[in-house]
Amino acid sequence: MYRAFEWKKNFASYIDQTRLPLEEILIETKDYRVIAEDIKRLALRGAPLIGISAAFAVYLGAVEYKELPDTEFENRFFDVCNHLAATRPTAQNLFWAIDKMRNVFVQNKDEKRSHILSLMEEEAKNILADDIKTCAMIGEFGNEIVPDDAVIITHCNAGLLAVGGIGTALSVIYTAHNSGKKVSVYSDETRPLLQGARLTTWELMKNGIDVTLIPDNTAAFVMQKKRIDLAVVGADRITLNGDAANKIGTYNLAIICGRHNIPFYVAAPLSTFDFSLNSGDEIPIEERAADEVTDFFGKRTAPYGVKVYSPAFDVTPNELITGIITEYGILRKPFDISIRDLLKQINP
Ligand code: MRU
């Protein structure tokens, strides 16, 4: 299957997602600054993919400064980590992956430089390889809740363009489809940057899944007039009580699912969970530039001087979530207990 990000021995190779679906432009770079900029401008996006690409960027930064004396190398290395951590504030996977890379350095500081670098490269490769397995497991567990002939609604893009493997929410759909079930999808367009219209429809069509694009504000009407069996979305950060941050508009979708008795599932790997936060109120929410709203892909659509508020994410309160599909199984309510139990099971 198609991969959004590949590590090619000593450089990163990935598709520029800002150009999809009309152009498939590949970016190849050894420069951590290019990767950081591409995360900021959403050429690389989706919580797990942001983490994966940041991990390789940290490694590339360390390679760039490898000839420097110890203290300078260490300072530059931490600067690289901070530079990447400042790209986007909400996706937990970014901080999780940078922490993993930082730990490799801290725990092996006194080793030979070449050894530290090879351990870092190994760690970044493991993050990518683990994500591929994790996506597959999420798909397997998620498939349990998909009936045959299912109609599923999703928001934003939580597919193979957002991860190292085949997706989180869309992995559930791909796995159900591959297991022989008939599945069709409604994809919210996902204003203002249209990840649903540009990316989710593109990848689902490429993989033979029946998909219908709808404007975001059409979802309630579709639920009223047609059959939707369930909603599955991804997440950027999940807190200890099960509140889940995801692309702006996800909360709206969860509310209208509740109104129509449609099960609302979040699919995410454990690397998206922030075990230091008790509730979604504490999640930092990124605000995007005004022109992403006042201009529609290069064409001005709002009056000059208008005030704009453009949060990139919202938080769906746990009570609106039916289950959280992880690589360890489906977490059920009460989430504060099921999340803590899972943590104990993993780290006894
Ligand atoms: O701003 P984006 O495009 O990075 O937002 C992405 C999302 O909100 C996804 O749903 C989320 O990261 C899950 S990706 C598996």
Side-chain angles (χ1 to χ4, degrees), residues 315-335:
V315 177
T316 300
N318 58 52
E319 63 265 24
L320 295 176
I321 300 172
T322 310
I324 305 177
I325 308 163
T326 75
E327 67 272 40
Y328 292 95
I330 303 181
L331 300 173
R332 300 280 180 183
K333 287 174 183 159
F335 293 119

Side-chain angles (χ1 to χ4, degrees), residues 42 45-48 88 156-158 162-163 168 195 235-236 246-247 313:
L42 272 59
R45 47 146 302 280
R88 297 193 74 190
C156 194
N157 173 264
V163 298
T168 55
Q195 287 90 334
D236 282 79
N246 191 49
K247 178 54 55 194
F313 301 96

Side-chain angles (χ1 to χ4, degrees), residues 173-226:
I173 290 166
Y174 290 131
T175 309
H177 172 80
N178 293 339
S179 72
K181 291 178 188 168
K182 183 167 177 276
V183 185
S184 51
V185 178
Y186 281 99
S187 170
D188 279 353
E189 64 172 349
T190 317
R191 280 280 292 159
L193 295 181
L194 305 187
Q195 287 90 334
R198 295 187 303 104
L199 309 177
T200 295
T201 57
W202 179 81
E203 64 163 271
L204 289 177
M205 288 170 78
K206 230 178 162 52
N207 288 291
I209 310 274
D210 176 59
V211 56
T212 304
L213 174 64
I214 54 169
D216 295 331
N217 49 12
T218 304
F221 188 70
V222 170
M223 289 175 195
Q224 198 180 49
K225 294 290 176 198
K226 298 179 189 277

Side-chain angles (χ1 to χ4, degrees), residues 8 22 24 57 125 127 162 167 172 175 187-188 217 240 262 266 269 297 303 319 323:
K8 306 264 185 175
L22 300 182
E24 295 181 31
K125 284 182 176 171
I127 289 173
V172 174
T175 309
S187 170
D188 279 353
N217 49 12
L240 277 172
I262 293 169
V266 172
F297 289 86
E319 63 265 24

